[in-house]
Amino acid sequence: MAGRRGTGAAPGGDGAAGTTPSPDAVTTDAVTTDARLAALFGLRGDGWLRHANPVSVWVRFAVVPLIVLSIWSRRWIGPRSLLPLAASLVFMVVEPLLFPPPRSTRNWASRGVFGERIWADRNVVDLPEQFRSTAVPNTTYAFQFAGLAVLARGLVVFDLKSVVGGLLLVQCAKAWFIDRMVLLFGTMAERDPRYASWEY
């Protein structure tokens, strides 16, 4: 891969150490819930770059529908629906690392992942003032949880309208969150060449 990807400030590996503090250098109080969740899915170092593959981001949008379909399938196949449900949950865990680093990160999805990485480390990163508030991200989370509640109710009573409505709410709120992260990354890249070098 050509261009900036080979520079020391790439978003994975040793080059990221100058941009994102290592876990040893960060106190427990400074680690956000987002960072803990990211670590749970293997998003450390090069893991972030693999997830920045736009295919990974778009496939990620298929995870919730797959889980929904697996749960709904109990109507057709009964207890055997636990098999596709288990497969869907395993896929959800491993999906962020299934794809190789992208050939280019100059796209909406990759920028969103980079912004999400910065946001996860917000307690140890000097964010621009307009991004320091958690109001918008928390609002997107609230919409996602509301969508999940509607979705869960629909799955319990087999109400297709609730399932579709809840699913749309979850997916739209997730897209809104990613778009906010794209704005965050763009602003940080303008301020700091280390972040700008993540884009190639």
Side-chain angles (χ1 to χ4, degrees), residues 87-159:
S88 299
L89 293 174
V90 169
F91 178 70
M92 177 182 71
V93 173
V94 303
E95 189 277 334
L97 303 179
L98 285 181
F99 300 93
R103 293 182 179 180
S104 172
T105 60
R106 295 183 184 278
N107 59 78
W108 181 85
S110 295
R111 291 173 182 136
V113 170
F114 292 155
E116 194 171 354
R117 181 180 183 181
I118 295 168
W119 180 250
D121 291 325
R122 62 189 176 276
N123 286 355
V124 291
V125 172
D126 184 22
L127 296 181
E129 186 175 352
Q130 68 267 35
F131 292 100
R132 290 176 191 161
S133 170
T134 60
V136 173
N138 285 347
T139 301
T140 70
Y141 297 150
F143 275 109
Q144 288 184 65
F145 283 124
L148 286 172
V150 173
L151 183 56
R153 183 234 172 233
L155 288 171
V156 169
V157 301
F158 290 111
D159 179 5

Coordinates of all heavy atoms in Angstrom, one line a residue, residues 87-159:
A87 N -24.8 -18.4 15.8 CA -23.9 -18.1 14.7 C -23.9 -16.5 14.5 O -22.8 -16.0 14.2 CB -24.3 -18.8 13.4
S88 N -25.0 -15.9 14.6 CA -25.1 -14.5 14.4 C -24.3 -13.7 15.5 O -23.7 -12.7 15.2 CB -26.6 -14.0 14.4 OG -27.3 -14.6 13.4
L89 N -24.4 -14.2 16.7 CA -23.7 -13.5 17.9 C -22.2 -13.7 17.7 O -21.5 -12.8 18.0 CB -24.2 -14.1 19.2 CG -25.7 -13.8 19.5 CD1 -26.1 -14.5 20.8 CD2 -25.9 -12.3 19.7
V90 N -21.8 -14.9 17.3 CA -20.3 -15.1 17.0 C -19.9 -14.2 15.9 O -18.8 -13.5 16.0 CB -20.0 -16.6 16.7 CG1 -18.6 -16.7 16.2 CG2 -20.3 -17.5 17.9
F91 N -20.7 -14.1 14.9 CA -20.3 -13.2 13.8 C -20.2 -11.7 14.2 O -19.3 -11.0 13.8 CB -21.4 -13.3 12.6 CG -21.1 -12.4 11.5 CD1 -20.1 -12.6 10.6 CD2 -22.0 -11.3 11.3 CE1 -19.9 -11.8 9.5 CE2 -21.8 -10.4 10.2 CZ -20.7 -10.7 9.3
M92 N -21.1 -11.3 15.1 CA -21.1 -9.9 15.6 C -19.8 -9.7 16.3 O -19.2 -8.6 16.2 CB -22.2 -9.7 16.6 CG -22.3 -8.4 17.3 SD -23.6 -8.2 18.5 CE -23.0 -9.3 19.8
V93 N -19.2 -10.6 17.1 CA -18.0 -10.4 17.8 C -16.8 -10.4 16.9 O -15.9 -9.6 17.1 CB -17.9 -11.6 18.9 CG1 -16.5 -11.5 19.6 CG2 -19.0 -11.5 19.9
V94 N -16.7 -11.3 15.9 CA -15.5 -11.4 15.1 C -15.5 -10.5 13.9 O -14.5 -10.2 13.3 CB -15.3 -12.9 14.6 CG1 -15.2 -13.8 15.8 CG2 -16.4 -13.3 13.7
E95 N -16.7 -10.0 13.5 CA -16.8 -9.2 12.2 C -15.8 -8.0 12.1 O -15.3 -7.8 11.0 CB -18.3 -8.7 12.1 CG -18.6 -8.1 10.7 CD -18.2 -6.6 10.6 OE1 -18.1 -6.0 11.7 OE2 -17.9 -6.2 9.5
P96 N -15.6 -7.2 13.2 CA -14.7 -6.1 13.0 C -13.3 -6.4 12.5 O -12.6 -5.6 12.0 CB -14.7 -5.4 14.4 CG -16.0 -5.8 15.0 CD -16.2 -7.2 14.5
L97 N -12.9 -7.7 12.7 CA -11.5 -8.0 12.4 C -11.5 -9.0 11.2 O -10.4 -9.5 10.9 CB -10.8 -8.7 13.6 CG -10.8 -7.8 14.8 CD1 -10.1 -8.6 16.0 CD2 -10.1 -6.5 14.6
L98 N -12.6 -9.2 10.5 CA -12.6 -10.2 9.4 C -11.9 -9.7 8.1 O -11.5 -10.4 7.3 CB -14.1 -10.5 9.1 CG -14.8 -11.5 10.0 CD1 -16.2 -11.8 9.6 CD2 -14.0 -12.8 10.2
F99 N -11.9 -8.3 8.0 CA -11.4 -7.8 6.7 C -10.0 -7.2 6.8 O -9.6 -6.7 7.9 CB -12.4 -6.7 6.2 CG -13.8 -7.3 6.1 CD1 -14.7 -7.2 7.1 CD2 -14.2 -7.9 4.9 CE1 -16.0 -7.7 6.9 CE2 -15.4 -8.4 4.7 CZ -16.4 -8.3 5.7
P100 N -9.3 -7.2 5.7 CA -7.9 -6.6 5.8 C -8.0 -5.1 5.8 O -9.0 -4.5 5.5 CB -7.3 -7.1 4.4 CG -8.5 -7.2 3.5 CD -9.6 -7.7 4.4
P101 N -6.9 -4.4 6.1 CA -6.8 -2.9 6.1 C -7.2 -2.5 4.7 O -6.9 -3.1 3.7 CB -5.3 -2.6 6.3 CG -4.9 -3.8 7.2 CD -5.6 -5.0 6.6
P102 N -7.9 -1.4 4.6 CA -8.5 -1.0 3.3 C -7.4 -0.4 2.3 O -6.3 0.1 2.8 CB -9.4 0.2 3.6 CG -8.9 0.7 4.9 CD -8.3 -0.5 5.6
R103 N -7.6 -0.5 1.1 CA -6.7 0.1 0.1 C -6.7 1.6 0.2 O -5.7 2.3 -0.1 CB -7.1 -0.3 -1.3 CG -6.9 -1.8 -1.6 CD -7.3 -2.1 -3.0 NE -7.1 -3.5 -3.3 CZ -7.3 -4.1 -4.5 NH1 -7.7 -3.3 -5.5 NH2 -7.1 -5.3 -4.7
S104 N -7.8 2.2 0.6 CA -7.9 3.6 0.8 C -8.8 3.9 2.0 O -9.8 3.2 2.2 CB -8.4 4.3 -0.5 OG -8.7 5.7 -0.2
T105 N -8.5 4.9 2.7 CA -9.4 5.3 3.8 C -10.1 6.7 3.5 O -10.7 7.3 4.4 CB -8.6 5.5 5.1 OG1 -7.6 6.5 5.0 CG2 -8.0 4.2 5.5
R106 N -10.1 7.1 2.3 CA -10.7 8.3 1.9 C -12.2 8.1 1.5 O -12.6 8.2 0.4 CB -10.0 9.0 0.7 CG -8.6 9.4 1.0 CD -7.9 10.1 -0.2 NE -6.6 10.4 0.1 CZ -6.2 11.5 0.8 NH1 -7.1 12.4 1.2 NH2 -4.9 11.7 1.1
N107 N -13.0 7.7 2.5 CA -14.4 7.4 2.4 C -15.1 7.6 3.7 O -14.5 7.7 4.7 CB -14.6 6.0 1.8 CG -14.0 4.9 2.8 OD1 -14.6 4.6 3.8 ND2 -12.8 4.4 2.5
W108 N -16.4 7.7 3.6 CA -17.2 8.1 4.8 C -17.1 7.0 5.9 O -16.9 7.4 7.0 CB -18.7 8.2 4.3 CG -19.7 8.5 5.4 CD1 -20.0 9.8 5.8 CD2 -20.5 7.6 6.1 NE1 -21.0 9.7 6.8 CE2 -21.3 8.4 7.0 CE3 -20.6 6.2 6.1 CZ2 -22.2 7.8 7.9 CZ3 -21.6 5.6 7.0 CH2 -22.3 6.4 7.9
A109 N -17.1 5.8 5.5 CA -17.1 4.7 6.5 C -15.8 4.7 7.2 O -15.8 4.6 8.5 CB -17.3 3.3 5.8
S110 N -14.7 4.8 6.5 CA -13.3 4.7 7.2 C -13.2 5.9 8.1 O -12.7 5.8 9.3 CB -12.2 4.7 6.2 OG -12.2 3.5 5.4
R111 N -13.6 7.1 7.6 CA -13.5 8.3 8.5 C -14.3 8.2 9.7 O -14.0 8.6 10.8 CB -13.9 9.5 7.7 CG -12.9 9.9 6.6 CD -13.5 11.0 5.7 NE -12.6 11.3 4.6 CZ -12.9 11.5 3.3 NH1 -14.2 11.5 3.0 NH2 -12.0 11.8 2.4
G112 N -15.5 7.5 9.6 CA -16.3 7.3 10.7 C -15.7 6.4 11.8 O -15.8 6.7 13.0
V113 N -15.0 5.4 11.3 CA -14.2 4.5 12.3 C -13.1 5.3 13.0 O -12.9 5.1 14.2 CB -13.7 3.3 11.5 CG1 -12.7 2.5 12.5 CG2 -14.8 2.4 11.1
F114 N -12.4 6.1 12.2 CA -11.3 6.9 12.8 C -11.9 7.8 13.9 O -11.3 8.0 14.9 CB -10.5 7.6 11.7 CG -9.7 6.7 10.8 CD1 -9.4 7.1 9.5 CD2 -9.3 5.5 11.2 CE1 -8.7 6.3 8.7 CE2 -8.6 4.6 10.4 CZ -8.3 5.0 9.1
G115 N -13.0 8.5 13.5 CA -13.6 9.4 14.5 C -14.1 8.6 15.7 O -13.9 9.1 16.9
E116 N -14.6 7.4 15.5 CA -15.0 6.6 16.7 C -13.8 6.2 17.5 O -13.9 6.2 18.8 CB -15.7 5.3 16.1 CG -16.4 4.5 17.2 CD -17.2 3.4 16.5 OE1 -17.3 3.3 15.3 OE2 -17.8 2.6 17.3
R117 N -12.7 6.0 16.9 CA -11.5 5.7 17.7 C -11.1 6.9 18.6 O -10.7 6.8 19.7 CB -10.3 5.3 16.8 CG -9.0 5.0 17.6 CD -7.9 4.6 16.7 NE -6.7 4.2 17.5 CZ -5.6 3.9 17.0 NH1 -5.4 3.8 15.7 NH2 -4.6 3.6 17.8
I118 N -11.1 8.1 17.9 CA -10.8 9.3 18.7 C -11.8 9.5 19.8 O -11.4 9.8 20.9 CB -10.8 10.5 17.7 CG1 -9.7 10.4 16.7 CG2 -10.6 11.8 18.5 CD1 -9.7 11.4 15.6
W119 N -13.1 9.3 19.5 CA -14.1 9.5 20.5 C -13.9 8.5 21.7 O -14.2 8.9 22.9 CB -15.5 9.3 19.9 CG -16.6 9.4 20.8 CD1 -17.5 8.5 21.3 CD2 -17.1 10.7 21.4 NE1 -18.4 9.0 22.1 CE2 -18.2 10.4 22.3 CE3 -16.6 12.0 21.4 CZ2 -18.8 11.3 23.0 CZ3 -17.3 13.0 22.1 CH2 -18.4 12.6 22.9
A120 N -13.5 7.3 21.4 CA -13.3 6.3 22.5 C -12.2 6.8 23.4 O -12.3 6.4 24.6 CB -13.0 4.9 21.9
D121 N -11.3 7.5 22.9 CA -10.1 8.0 23.7 C -10.3 9.5 24.2 O -9.4 10.2 24.5 CB -8.8 7.9 22.9 CG -8.4 6.4 22.7 OD1 -8.7 5.6 23.7 OD2 -7.9 6.1 21.7
R122 N -11.6 9.9 24.2 CA -11.8 11.4 24.4 C -11.4 11.9 25.7 O -11.1 13.1 25.9 CB -13.3 11.7 24.2 CG -14.2 11.0 25.2 CD -15.7 11.2 24.8 NE -16.6 10.4 25.7 CZ -17.0 9.2 25.5 NH1 -16.4 8.5 24.5 NH2 -17.8 8.5 26.3
N123 N -11.2 11.0 26.7 CA -10.8 11.5 28.0 C -9.3 11.8 28.1 O -8.8 12.4 29.0 CB -11.1 10.4 29.1 CG -12.5 10.3 29.5 OD1 -13.3 11.1 29.0 ND2 -12.9 9.4 30.3
V124 N -8.6 11.4 27.1 CA -7.1 11.6 27.0 C -6.7 12.4 25.7 O -5.5 12.5 25.4 CB -6.3 10.3 27.2 CG1 -6.4 9.8 28.6 CG2 -6.7 9.3 26.1
V125 N -7.7 12.8 25.0 CA -7.5 13.6 23.7 C -8.1 14.9 23.8 O -9.2 15.1 24.3 CB -8.1 12.8 22.5 CG1 -8.0 13.6 21.2 CG2 -7.4 11.5 22.3
D126 N -7.4 15.9 23.4 CA -7.9 17.3 23.4 C -8.9 17.5 22.2 O -8.4 17.8 21.1 CB -6.7 18.3 23.3 CG -7.2 19.7 23.5 OD1 -8.3 20.0 24.0 OD2 -6.5 20.7 23.0
L127 N -10.1 17.4 22.5 CA -11.1 17.5 21.4 C -11.5 19.0 21.2 O -11.4 19.8 22.1 CB -12.4 16.7 21.8 CG -12.3 15.2 22.0 CD1 -13.7 14.7 22.3 CD2 -11.8 14.6 20.7
P128 N -11.9 19.3 20.0 CA -12.4 20.7 19.7 C -13.6 20.9 20.6 O -14.4 20.0 20.9 CB -12.8 20.6 18.2 CG -12.0 19.5 17.7 CD -11.8 18.5 18.8
E129 N -13.9 22.2 21.0 CA -14.9 22.5 21.9 C -16.3 22.0 21.5 O -17.1 21.5 22.3 CB -15.0 24.0 22.1 CG -16.0 24.4 23.1 CD -16.0 25.9 23.4 OE1 -15.1 26.6 22.9 OE2 -16.8 26.4 24.1
Q130 N -16.6 22.0 20.1 CA -17.9 21.6 19.7 C -18.1 20.1 19.8 O -19.3 19.6 19.7 CB -18.1 22.1 18.2 CG -17.3 21.4 17.2 CD -16.0 22.2 16.9 OE1 -15.4 22.8 17.8 NE2 -15.5 22.1 15.7
F131 N -17.1 19.4 20.1 CA -17.2 17.9 20.2 C -17.1 17.4 21.6 O -17.1 16.2 21.9 CB -16.2 17.2 19.3 CG -16.5 17.4 17.8 CD1 -15.7 18.3 17.1 CD2 -17.4 16.6 17.2 CE1 -16.0 18.5 15.7 CE2 -17.7 16.8 15.8 CZ -17.0 17.7 15.1
R132 N -16.8 18.3 22.6 CA -16.6 17.9 23.9 C -17.9 17.4 24.6 O -17.9 16.6 25.5 CB -16.0 19.0 24.7 CG -14.5 19.3 24.3 CD -13.9 20.4 25.1 NE -12.6 20.8 24.4 CZ -12.0 22.0 24.6 NH1 -12.6 22.9 25.4 NH2 -10.9 22.2 24.0
S133 N -19.0 17.9 24.2 CA -20.3 17.5 24.8 C -20.7 16.1 24.3 O -20.5 15.8 23.1 CB -21.4 18.5 24.4 OG -22.6 18.0 24.8
T134 N -21.2 15.3 25.2 CA -21.7 14.0 24.8 C -23.2 14.0 24.4 O -23.8 13.0 24.2 CB -21.5 13.0 26.0 OG1 -22.3 13.5 27.1 CG2 -20.0 12.9 26.4
A135 N -23.8 15.2 24.3 CA -25.2 15.3 24.1 C -25.6 14.6 22.8 O -26.6 13.8 22.8 CB -25.6 16.8 24.0
V136 N -25.0 14.9 21.7 CA -25.4 14.3 20.4 C -25.1 12.8 20.4 O -26.0 12.0 20.1 CB -24.7 15.0 19.2 CG1 -25.0 14.2 17.9 CG2 -25.2 16.4 19.1
P137 N -23.9 12.3 20.8 CA -23.7 10.9 20.8 C -24.7 10.2 21.7 O -25.2 9.1 21.4 CB -22.3 10.7 21.3 CG -21.6 12.0 20.8 CD -22.7 13.0 21.0
N138 N -24.9 10.8 22.9 CA -25.9 10.1 23.9 C -27.3 10.1 23.3 O -28.1 9.2 23.6 CB -25.9 10.9 25.2 CG -24.6 10.6 26.0 OD1 -23.9 9.6 25.7 ND2 -24.4 11.3 27.0
T139 N -27.6 11.1 22.5 CA -28.9 11.1 21.9 C -29.0 10.0 20.8 O -30.1 9.3 20.8 CB -29.2 12.5 21.2 OG1 -29.2 13.5 22.1 CG2 -30.6 12.5 20.5
T140 N -28.0 9.8 20.1 CA -28.0 8.6 19.1 C -28.1 7.3 19.9 O -28.8 6.4 19.4 CB -26.7 8.6 18.2 OG1 -25.6 8.3 19.0 CG2 -26.6 10.0 17.5
Y141 N -27.4 7.2 21.0 CA -27.5 6.0 21.8 C -29.0 5.8 22.3 O -29.5 4.7 22.3 CB -26.6 6.0 23.0 CG -25.1 6.1 22.7 CD1 -24.2 6.8 23.6 CD2 -24.6 5.6 21.6 CE1 -22.9 6.9 23.4 CE2 -23.2 5.6 21.3 CZ -22.4 6.3 22.2 OH -21.0 6.4 21.9
A142 N -29.6 6.9 22.8 CA -30.9 6.8 23.3 C -31.9 6.3 22.2 O -32.8 5.5 22.4 CB -31.4 8.2 23.8
F143 N -31.7 6.8 21.0 CA -32.6 6.4 19.9 C -32.3 4.9 19.6 O -33.2 4.2 19.2 CB -32.3 7.2 18.6 CG -33.1 8.5 18.6 CD1 -32.6 9.7 18.8 CD2 -34.5 8.5 18.4 CE1 -33.3 10.9 18.7 CE2 -35.3 9.6 18.3 CZ -34.7 10.9 18.5
Q144 N -31.0 4.5 19.6 CA -30.7 3.1 19.4 C -31.4 2.2 20.5 O -32.0 1.1 20.1 CB -29.2 2.9 19.4 CG -28.5 3.4 18.1 CD -27.1 3.1 18.1 OE1 -26.7 2.0 18.0 NE2 -26.2 4.2 18.2
F145 N -31.3 2.6 21.7 CA -32.0 1.8 22.8 C -33.5 1.8 22.6 O -34.1 0.8 22.9 CB -31.6 2.4 24.2 CG -30.2 2.0 24.6 CD1 -29.2 2.9 24.9 CD2 -29.8 0.6 24.6 CE1 -27.9 2.6 25.3 CE2 -28.5 0.3 25.0 CZ -27.6 1.2 25.3
A146 N -34.0 2.9 22.2 CA -35.5 3.0 22.0 C -35.9 2.0 20.9 O -36.9 1.3 21.0 CB -35.9 4.4 21.7
G147 N -35.1 2.1 19.8 CA -35.3 1.2 18.7 C -35.2 -0.3 19.1 O -36.0 -1.1 18.7
L148 N -34.2 -0.6 19.9 CA -34.1 -2.0 20.4 C -35.2 -2.4 21.3 O -35.7 -3.6 21.2 CB -32.8 -2.1 21.2 CG -31.5 -2.1 20.4 CD1 -30.3 -2.0 21.3 CD2 -31.4 -3.3 19.5
A149 N -35.8 -1.5 22.1 CA -37.0 -1.8 22.9 C -38.2 -2.1 22.0 O -38.9 -3.1 22.3 CB -37.3 -0.7 23.8
V150 N -38.4 -1.3 21.0 CA -39.5 -1.6 20.1 C -39.3 -2.9 19.3 O -40.2 -3.7 19.2 CB -39.7 -0.4 19.1 CG1 -40.7 -0.7 18.0 CG2 -40.0 0.9 19.8
L151 N -38.0 -3.1 18.9 CA -37.7 -4.3 18.2 C -37.9 -5.5 19.1 O -38.5 -6.5 18.6 CB -36.2 -4.2 17.8 CG -35.5 -5.3 17.0 CD1 -36.3 -5.5 15.7 CD2 -34.1 -4.9 16.7
A152 N -37.5 -5.5 20.3 CA -37.6 -6.6 21.2 C -39.1 -7.0 21.4 O -39.5 -8.1 21.4 CB -36.9 -6.3 22.6
R153 N -39.9 -5.9 21.6 CA -41.3 -6.2 21.8 C -41.9 -6.8 20.5 O -42.7 -7.8 20.6 CB -42.0 -4.8 22.1 CG -43.5 -5.0 22.3 CD -44.3 -4.1 21.4 NE -45.7 -4.3 21.5 CZ -46.5 -4.6 20.5 NH1 -46.0 -4.6 19.2 NH2 -47.8 -4.9 20.6
G154 N -41.5 -6.4 19.4 CA -42.0 -7.0 18.1 C -41.6 -8.4 18.0 O -42.4 -9.2 17.5
L155 N -40.4 -8.7 18.4 CA -39.9 -10.1 18.3 C -40.6 -11.0 19.3 O -40.9 -12.2 19.0 CB -38.4 -10.2 18.6 CG -37.5 -9.6 17.5 CD1 -36.1 -9.5 17.9 CD2 -37.7 -10.5 16.2
V156 N -41.0 -10.5 20.5 CA -41.7 -11.3 21.5 C -43.1 -11.7 21.0 O -43.5 -12.8 21.1 CB -41.8 -10.5 22.8 CG1 -42.7 -11.2 23.8 CG2 -40.4 -10.5 23.5
V157 N -43.8 -10.7 20.4 CA -45.2 -10.9 20.0 C -45.4 -11.2 18.5 O -46.5 -11.3 18.0 CB -46.1 -9.7 20.5 CG1 -46.0 -9.6 22.0 CG2 -45.7 -8.4 19.7
F158 N -44.2 -11.3 17.8 CA -44.3 -11.5 16.4 C -45.1 -10.4 15.6 O -45.9 -10.6 14.8 CB -44.8 -12.8 16.0 CG -43.9 -14.0 16.4 CD1 -44.3 -14.8 17.4 CD2 -42.7 -14.2 15.7 CE1 -43.5 -15.9 17.7 CE2 -41.9 -15.2 16.1 CZ -42.3 -16.1 17.1
D159 N -44.7 -9.1 16.0 CA -45.3 -8.0 15.3 C -44.3 -7.4 14.3 O -43.4 -6.8 14.7 CB -45.7 -6.9 16.4 CG -46.3 -5.7 15.8 OD1 -46.6 -5.6 14.5 OD2 -46.6 -4.7 16.5

